[in-house]
Structures are given as C-alpha cells and as structure tokens.
C-alpha cells in the first residue's frame, strides 16, 4: 500500500492551489453501492457510513462534521420492510450528511417518522452512480460553490473518476466490500470476541474462504488483518482499523485521480 502522511494532504497541494480557510471545502463524490448499505437505527433515526472521494483538489478537505447536502436525492433510495415482510424501496426525501474523516467518508442520517407512519421499517440504503455531496453554504464565503460548479464537476470530473476507479478495480471493489463490513460494527465501543471473529460470516453469510472474486479476497485480507491486529491490542476496535485501511486505499486511488485531472495531464 502506498499510503503515506503526504498523501493525506495531497488534496490541498497536488495542483499547487491552497484555498482560504473561509472558502467552501471540496465537492465529494459518493461511491455507488453494489449492494445496499445496512442501516443502524435507534432513537428515531437511521444512519450509515458512505465511502466518498475528493472531486476537487483545489478546494480544502472538509473538517470533521462539516455539513453537506445531497445534490440529487433521487440517487438515494431506502430499502424498507413492511409488517408482512415485503421489501419496498422508497426515495429518500431528507437527510443530514456530515463528513467524518476528511474526504474519504461521510455519515448520512435520516428520520424514521415518515416510514413508521406508513408501516415501513428502513433496513438499508441503496446509492446509484453519479451522486455528489455539496458543502452547506456559509455566510460570507469568499468562494462559494454554485450550481454551475456542481454541474461542471458532474459532467467533466465524474467520468474521469470513474475511469480511474476502473483502473484500480480490485482495490475499488475491496473498498466497497470492506465498507459493508465496517457498517456492521458498533459505532462506539468494542465487539465481543465471537462477534469479531464471525464478522465476515455475519455480513455475507459465508466464510472468507468461500467468498469468490479478487475484490472479495482483497477485502477479506483487510478484514482479517484488522481482526488480528485488534486481538493483539494494536487497535481499540475492528472499526477503527477498518477506517484506517479503507481510507488508505481510497487516498491512493484519489491521488491518481488528481493526477488525471491536473491541467496538462
């Protein structure tokens, strides 16, 4: 893995431009879900973590908990269950989104009130290709992001990102798979030893040895590493380890994307 501390700040300096602290941070692309992302629901809300990537190297990385909005809510659909066990997909109407680890991950949260009133229980989130997160406007921003900038990013930058992701096919697939495992872990605290050891089985309904595909095998290596290092006490929890490994893989891919969009490339 080519992850270094320099990679983390590449989004700020890779093309030689540094934005002011008051300006809006970068647009974030959202990794589409090959399979719906599981939700954690409690206290009237459901939430899950989304893998994201930096679309704009010239803008700053978002601070933790920076609020974003969904540019196109129609690309997000909630998978629900009726009281009879039937599966129904419902368009997402409103949600709160925050960056949680720079440009590599965001948390989405929404109320279950409307779903409950219709006899529906949210269980997962499906994300279609092409979704963009837009930073919440701030009063006095000297360089705000307007609709034209978002449209230009969707038209010109997302296709390049898609091409770069395909060049990193195995690692990109592994990021999506490992993120599904991460969303099956507690947001706080540690897992019991048996739960930690059965994490892959509980997520996919099969052992890591039974899973097929290069992306699954790469992700299984990541999860296995985190299970082992957590058992050694090197990480507080499997989730903290998975966050680090997923971020490292995404940063490496994002670095190649920034090179691809750099003027003169």
């Amino acid at each position: 893995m080519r992850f270094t501390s320099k990679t983390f700040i590449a989004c700020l300096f890779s093309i030689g431009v540094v934005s002011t602290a008051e300006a809006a941070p970068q647009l974030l692309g959202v990794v589409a879900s090959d399979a719906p992302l599981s939700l954690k629901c409690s206290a009237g809300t459901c939430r899950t973590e989304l893998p994201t990537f930096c679309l704009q190297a010239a803008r700053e990385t978002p601070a933790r908990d920076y609020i974003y909005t969904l540019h196109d809510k129609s690309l997000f659909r909630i998978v629900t269950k009726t009281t009879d066990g039937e599966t129904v997909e419902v368009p997402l109407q409103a949600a709160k989104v925050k960056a949680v680890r720079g440009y590599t991950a965001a948390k989405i949260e929404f109320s279950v009130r409307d779903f409950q009133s219709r006899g529906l229980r949210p269980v997962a989130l499906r994300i279609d290709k092409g979704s963009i997160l837009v930073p919440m406007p701030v009063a006095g921003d000297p360089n705000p992001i307007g609709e034209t900038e978002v449209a230009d990013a969707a038209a010109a930058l997302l296709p390049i990102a898609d091409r770069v992701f395909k060049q990193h096919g195995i690692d990109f697939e592994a990021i999506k798979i490992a993120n599904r495992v991460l969303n099956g872990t507690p947001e706080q605290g540690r897992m019991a030893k048996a739960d930690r050891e059965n994490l892959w089985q509980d997520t996919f309904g099969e052992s890591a040895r039974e899973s097929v595909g290069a992306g699954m095998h790469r992700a299984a290596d990541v999860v296995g590493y985190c299970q082992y290092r957590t058992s050694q006490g090197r990480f507080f929890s499997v989730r903290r380890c998975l966050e680090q490994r997923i971020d490292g893989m995404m940063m490496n891919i994002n670095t190649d994307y920034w090179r691809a969009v750099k003027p003169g490339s």
Side-chain angles (χ1 to χ4, degrees):
M1 183 176 293
R2 296 180 288 118
F3 170 53
T4 67
S5 59
K6 292 181 180 179
T7 306
F8 184 77
I9 60 173
C11 199
L12 301 184
F13 300 101
S14 62
I15 64 172
V17 179
V18 182
S19 302
T20 63
E22 295 80 11
Q26 61 223 187
L27 295 169
L28 300 179
V30 181
V31 176
S33 57
D34 294 339
L37 302 179
S38 63
L39 296 170
K40 283 186 168 61
C41 301
S42 62
T45 64
C46 290
R47 58 204 170 275
T48 195
E49 186 170 302
L50 317 174
T52 58
F53 57 95
C54 163
L55 274 174
Q56 299 172 298
R59 286 187 177 269
E60 286 199 57
T61 298
R64 185 176 181 84
D65 291 334
Y66 196 102
I67 298 174
Y68 275 77
T69 61
L70 307 177
H71 180 246
D72 186 352
K73 292 194 294 291
S74 70
L75 298 177
F76 293 77
R77 301 190 307 282
I78 307 301
V79 180
T80 69
K81 291 287 187 180
T82 66
T83 54
D84 296 328
E86 180 184 356
T87 300
V88 178
E89 291 198 6
V90 182
L92 179 63
Q93 297 300 319
K96 179 189 297 184
V97 183
K98 292 182 178 180
V100 292
R101 293 193 309 281
Y103 58 83
T104 59
K107 182 173 74 173
I108 185 169
E109 185 174 11
F110 59 90
S111 172
V112 302
R113 184 179 305 171
D114 180 58
F115 298 98
Q116 290 177 336
S117 68
R118 298 158 63 182
L120 301 174
R121 178 173 60 88
V123 295
L125 173 67
R126 189 184 300 277
I127 308 166
D128 290 338
K129 190 175 179 179
S131 177
I132 294 176
L133 302 181
V134 182
M136 180 70 74
V138 176
D141 186 342
N143 187 21
I145 294 179
E147 181 58 34
T148 299
E149 186 171 344
V150 180
D152 288 346
L157 299 180
L158 282 181
I160 298 175
D162 187 53
R163 187 185 74 229
V164 172
F165 289 146
K166 288 178 179 177
Q167 293 170 351
H168 292 266
I170 294 175
D171 273 3
F172 186 52
E173 186 72 15
I175 287 171
K176 292 183 282 186
I177 295 167
N179 183 74
R180 290 176 61 191
V181 177
L182 181 148
N183 277 317
T185 64
E187 295 170 289
Q188 303 293 331
R190 306 180 68 180
M191 303 180 76
K193 181 175 182 291
D195 292 336
R196 185 176 69 236
E197 292 175 347
N198 293 324
L199 187 53
W200 189 274
Q201 178 78 36
D202 291 343
T203 304
F204 302 108
E206 60 187 17
S207 69
R209 290 185 177 181
E210 294 172 314
S211 297
V212 177
M216 290 290 277
H217 293 164
R218 177 77 175 91
D221 287 344
V222 171
V223 174
Y225 169 88
C226 286
Q227 289 169 316
Y228 176 66
R229 296 301 250 178
T230 302
S231 70
Q232 287 186 313
R234 299 298 182 90
F235 286 91
F236 172 73
S237 66
V238 172
R239 187 181 185 97
R240 298 290 89 81
C241 177
L242 287 174
E243 290 172 350
Q244 184 190 88
R245 304 299 281 188
I246 292 171
D247 290 353
M249 288 190 289
M250 180 58 80
M251 288 173 182
N252 287 337
I253 297 174
N254 228 144
T255 299
D256 283 350
Y257 160 77
W258 299 323
R259 292 193 185 104
V261 298
K262 186 176 180 179
S265 297

